[in-house]
Amino acid sequence: MKTLIITTITNGKINQNLLPLLDSAGKICDYCDVLILGHDLAAAANEAASINGINSVLTLESAALEKPLAENIASQLSEIAKGYTHVLASADSFGKNLMPRIAGVLEIGQISEIVKVVSPNIFKKFIYAGNVLVEIESLEDIKLLTVRTSNFNGKREPRAESAKIVAIAYNNLIHPNIKWLSSNIVDKSVDLSSAKIVISGGRSLGSKEDFDTHIRTLANKLNAAVGATRAAVEAGFAPNDCQVGQTGKVVAPQVYLAIGISGAVQHIAGMKDSKTVIAINTDQTAPIFEHADYGIVADLFDIVPELYNQL
Amino acid sequence: MIKIMVCAKRVVDANIKVRVKSDGSNVDIEHSKMSLNPFDENAIEEAVRIKEAGNASEIFAVSIGSEKCTDTLRTALARGCDRAILVRTSANIEPIHIAKTLKQIVLREKPDLILIGKQAIDDDANQVGQMLAAMLDYPQATFISKLELNGNKIIACRELDNGTESLEVTLPAVVTADLHLNEPRFVKLPQLMMAKKKTIEHIELADLGISTKPSTRLIKAMDGEIKKNCIMLEDCTQILKILNEVT
């Protein structure tokens, strides 16, 4: 058995989700290669080569891969995949876009968002917005998996001798019908997916101003990431990438502070693996309290400023 | 004027809480209320808006599954699709089989734009659009929250983990809809009545020569929801104490 992790870089560095990906790959077998794709990979490749648990670091480097569009890499990656029993990527917007395209090229099935490796063939994942957990066996010779990295351990283990770095030549099969135009990346002080504390607000915040004054200010003071329910996002209180839930992000911080959130199942799907959940809501029958370790029935407009002042 | 293909997956209604069978063999959905997949609703709404703007000649909807999917297709027709195709099968089909089936429909119908939901709310797989695009070697504008059609090109805004990016794709292309793409309209009675007059063509999946050999096997299903014993606090000081303890 051989596993391959496919990842990219952020600002020249390896993505933080490589560590939990390695943890998941290590639960499958002892052999793991890491393929990094993008442009200017030297620093990231060296960094990866110093992490324990990697056999070889493969680089797929080209100026054309600065923005690694799935259309330009899936055919080459599907050829590379044939040398492995398992291919893994993080279940983020990169992995979710790419892995099914590789599966489509190979015309085989794929398993999305695994949360546990039971055995090399058997994985656990959620369906129905997290209401149901299933254990499924992959019947394919090559198992294509995306991994919910918040469910795996992100500990970095150093090694004595660096792994070897192998450069793979890009086949230059650039799809003529897609062009990357621009991006609008929100530079957040704290990343929602890997934050230790997440403070989320719901529709009861009432306005963007109140969301900012109550949720954002508190988050800044606690060095926490800001989350929001779908309702709050749709009401324009917070940008789309703050959305926590079935269709947004899945987070598992040390502390999840749910402020004015009722607890729709679609939202619970995105935060139920948090270590400690504290809920603030005026309605004591709100479902969020069934998923919280601690709760307080209070008006957020009273309690949040008080909390802020006492910090 | 472009021709648009949309999909209509029949799923358990978003407001229903799905339960696991007592023997853990699968989920128990036999008597659940079924609906059109919400993400497909967004895709259909967008297609209809393109047609209303005078930029599409036809929208057809495809569903794959049992005869009961005709209800789902009627909903799609009431929402503004012109006609529908039901690919009938009783087999348990996975995203890879759906993509292979849709590919056959695309080859026959030659739509310019395939506009589908980014995921279905039952298996939450988020795979079909990308698989289909790969099989056709089409570009894939996935997780799209904004779309602008300009001749044979689309400028699409993709939702990323930390923001958005803007892509230009040349048709034919696959676009998968995020829930933020639009607000689907309410369907009124006259539209529902009109939908009854529109045609639904029936095709047997077996006749398309597609293998439904499973790629996965369900071992067991478990309740995914863990309820906690919530300790109720009285005041702010207690919240602070817990925050200090756990961080």
Side-chain angles (χ1 to χ4, degrees), chain A residues 69-71 92-94 96-97 100-101 103-105 107-112 122 124-140 175 177-186 197 222 230 233-234 240-241 243 246-247 249 254-255 266 272 274-278 280 289-297 303 306-307 310-311, chain B residues 12 14 16-18 20 27 29 39 96 100 103 118-119 121-127 130-131 133-135 137-143 145 155 158-171 178-180 183 214-237 239-240 242-243 246-247:
Chain A
L69 294 171
E71 290 84 344
D92 54 14
S93 48
F94 167 75
K96 285 178 178 176
N97 184 47
R101 184 145 185 136
V105 174
E107 299 203 358
I108 60 174
Q110 189 238 301
I111 299 177
S112 296
I122 299 173
K124 282 188 183 175
K125 63 161 292 187
F126 286 105
I127 55 173
Y128 288 98
N131 266 323
V132 179
L133 180 66
V134 288
E135 202 172 288
I136 54 172
E137 180 185 10
S138 166
L139 306 174
E140 301 286 6
H175 202 290
N177 291 346
I178 182 156
K179 266 197 207 95
W180 181 90
L181 299 179
S182 62
S183 63
N184 182 10
I185 303 295
V186 189
I197 308 176
L222 282 164
R230 183 182 161 206
V233 167
E234 301 219 315
N240 294 356
D241 56 45
Q243 188 175 319
Q246 180 186 24
T247 65
K249 284 204 181 64
Q254 293 293 319
V255 183
Q266 289 81 2
K272 64 179 171 177
S274 307
K275 305 285 175 300
T276 303
V277 176
I278 307 172
I280 301 171
F289 290 122
E290 291 176 356
H291 303 274
D293 301 278
Y294 301 97
I296 182 160
V297 178
I303 206 101
E306 199 183 330
L307 193 60
Q310 289 187 29
L311 275 167
Chain B
V12 174
I16 305 281
K17 214 168 144 223
V18 171
V20 169
V27 288
I29 59 168
F39 290 87
I96 187 69
K100 285 180 179 175
K103 180 189 169 185
K118 74 165 182 179
Q119 73 192 69
I121 60 161
D122 48 6
D123 60 14
D124 283 329
N126 192 336
Q127 296 176 0
Q130 297 90 310
M131 286 175 164
M135 289 172 186
D137 198 25
Y138 284 3
Q140 60 187 49
T142 46
F143 332 140
S145 59
I155 308 278
R158 169 186 282 161
E159 291 292 320
L160 301 175
D161 304 309
N162 53 353
T164 58
E165 68 185 2
S166 174
L167 304 164
E168 183 192 84
V169 295
T170 306
L171 301 178
D178 187 274
L179 289 178
H180 298 294
E183 182 74 42
S215 84
T216 57
R217 182 175 71 89
L218 178 66
I219 295 172
K220 62 178 168 185
M222 296 149 272
D223 194 347
E225 201 185 62
I226 301 148
K227 288 200 174 155
K228 293 180 170 178
N229 277 325
C230 186
I231 300 167
M232 296 315 277
L233 308 174
E234 298 299 323
D235 57 38
C236 221
T237 339
I239 301 181
L240 279 172
I242 288 151
L243 275 176
V246 295
T247 53

Side-chain angles (χ1 to χ4, degrees), chain B residues 20 24 32 64 74 79 91 97 116 143 152 159 178-179 191 215 233:
Chain B
V20 169
S32 299
I64 305 169
R74 290 279 169 221
R79 291 191 163 278
H97 310 123
I116 65 179
F143 332 140
N152 73 333
E159 291 292 320
D178 187 274
L179 289 178
Q191 275 104 44
S215 84
L233 308 174

